[in-house]
Amino acid sequence: KNEVEQSPQNLTAQEGEFITINCSYSVGISALHWLQQHPGGGIVSLFMLSSGKKKHGRLIATINIQEKHSSLHITASHPRDSAVYICAVNTDKLIFGTGTRLQVFP
Amino acid sequence: NAGVTQTPKFRVLKTGQSMTLLCAQDMNHEYMYWYRQDPGMGLRLIHYSVGEGTTAKGEVPDGYNVSRLKKQNFLLGLESAAPSQTSVYFCASSHIPGQVLNSPLHFGNGTRLTVT
């Protein structure tokens, strides 16, 4: 079993929809990261969380330390949000989930 | 600030050749990592370093060596390249997790390596 599990693996949405991507982990962590990777592109850090909730524009990330679970929400999705979203957790090293491929259609 | 710089961006090697990938960061980060990304497999940790002069093995270290002689540089070496090492390689860096608030990960733009 992977130490970091993401769901769903693939997600399609219509423009304007509310999107949720989930991340569960089975190890003790000091922080959790949400990352974005566009096709053929580099990897960009969206959020780093150790507790609670963070918001940046249309993106919201939450974490529940007791349940070892985090969610990334995108409100009013747009085609430019199409990308792979990756969850990563800090132990003594970084452990990545396999990513969620999101496609938003106009 | 340049952030995290990886060189080269592209490289084609023949089986058995050697090369070194360079990762440089100018943010005074303690932690540095080398990952490979393959289709359908996500990012897999090759080696990492928690400080100057220290390195540790990750999930897929075989066939690679690393060095962290200077805090700002983390080198990844392939002594005898194999076709299985065809991949996209990413370097990342960060402060010590939990010690610096709002310290995200910083990634290089990747190195696309093909071994024929």
Side-chain angles (χ1 to χ4, degrees), chain A residues 30-31 33 35 37 40-45 47-48 50 54 86 88 90-99, chain B residues 31 33 35 37 41-43 45 48 50 57-58 90 92 94 97-98 100-105 107-109 112:
Chain A
S30 54
H33 303 264
L35 311 167
Q37 185 177 28
I43 300 170
V44 175
S45 177
F47 294 103
M48 187 189 80
S50 55
K54 287 189 176 179
I86 304 168
N90 270 117
T91 57
D92 59 334
K93 51 185 183 284
L94 272 174
I95 305 172
F96 288 82
T98 53
Chain B
Y31 280 39
Y33 311 84
Y35 288 89
Q37 187 177 42
M41 300 194 73
L43 286 152
L45 180 63
Y48 65 105
V50 301
K57 292 181 180 180
F90 284 97
S94 73
V100 176
L101 291 178
N102 296 317
S103 176
L105 294 167
F107 284 83
N109 288 328
R112 188 173 296 276

Side-chain angles (χ1 to χ4, degrees), chain A residues 62-78:
Chain A
T62 64
I63 188 169
N64 185 317
I65 299 293
Q66 287 73 30
E67 295 186 2
K68 295 188 174 179
H69 181 269
S70 176
S71 293
L72 176 68
H73 305 287
I74 304 174
T75 62
S77 60
H78 190 276

Side-chain angles (χ1 to χ4, degrees), chain B:
Chain B
N1 286 346
V4 178
T5 303
Q6 278 184 242
T7 54
K9 293 183 180 179
F10 302 94
R11 187 73 186 267
V12 178
L13 289 178
K14 293 184 178 179
T15 298
Q17 287 185 317
S18 64
M19 76 165 294
T20 300
L21 282 67
L22 171 64
C23 177
Q25 52 92 7
D26 60 2
M27 297 167 284
N28 201 34
H29 284 167
E30 291 80 11
Y31 280 39
M32 297 186 75
Y33 311 84
W34 274 109
Y35 288 89
R36 60 179 288 173
Q37 187 177 42
D38 302 292
M41 300 194 73
L43 286 152
R44 292 184 293 168
L45 180 63
I46 305 171
H47 287 278
Y48 65 105
S49 169
V50 301
E52 181 180 318
T54 70
T55 63
K57 292 181 180 180
E59 182 184 355
V60 288
D62 294 342
Y64 305 95
N65 57 75
V66 288
S67 64
R68 184 102 181 264
L69 298 179
K70 294 183 179 180
K71 187 176 184 179
Q72 63 267 35
N73 296 334
F74 195 29
L75 278 63
L76 178 70
L78 285 74
E79 290 186 347
S80 180
S84 61
Q85 293 177 305
T86 294
S87 187
V88 180
Y89 292 85
F90 284 97
C91 174
S93 71
S94 73
H95 287 298
I96 298 172
Q99 289 199 0
V100 176
L101 291 178
N102 296 317
S103 176
L105 294 167
H106 293 262
F107 284 83
N109 288 328
T111 297
R112 188 173 296 276
L113 174 66
T114 302
V115 182
T116 61

Side-chain angles (χ1 to χ4, degrees), chain A:
Chain A
K1 188 180 190 301
N2 293 334
E3 292 168 301
V4 180
E5 298 272 1
Q6 281 186 242
S7 63
Q9 287 188 318
N10 295 284
L11 184 57
T12 57
Q14 288 294 125
E15 184 173 355
E17 286 186 3
F18 180 84
I19 289 163
T20 296
I21 300 170
N22 295 300
C23 175
S24 296
Y25 53 93
S26 58
V27 293
I29 69 170
S30 54
L32 181 143
H33 303 264
W34 281 103
L35 311 167
Q36 180 192 57
Q37 185 177 28
H38 282 100
I43 300 170
V44 175
S45 177
L46 298 175
F47 294 103
M48 187 189 80
L49 295 162
S50 55
S51 65
K53 176 180 175 179
K54 287 189 176 179
K55 184 176 189 293
H56 185 257
R58 295 180 294 105
L59 301 178
I60 303 167
T62 64
I63 188 169
N64 185 317
I65 299 293
Q66 287 73 30
E67 295 186 2
K68 295 188 174 179
H69 181 269
S70 176
S71 293
L72 176 68
H73 305 287
I74 304 174
T75 62
S77 60
H78 190 276
R80 64 175 173 267
D81 297 326
S82 298
V84 176
Y85 292 84
I86 304 168
C87 170
V89 299
N90 270 117
T91 57
D92 59 334
K93 51 185 183 284
L94 272 174
I95 305 172
F96 288 82
T98 53
T100 295
R101 185 174 301 276
L102 171 66
Q103 289 182 291
V104 182
F105 294 99

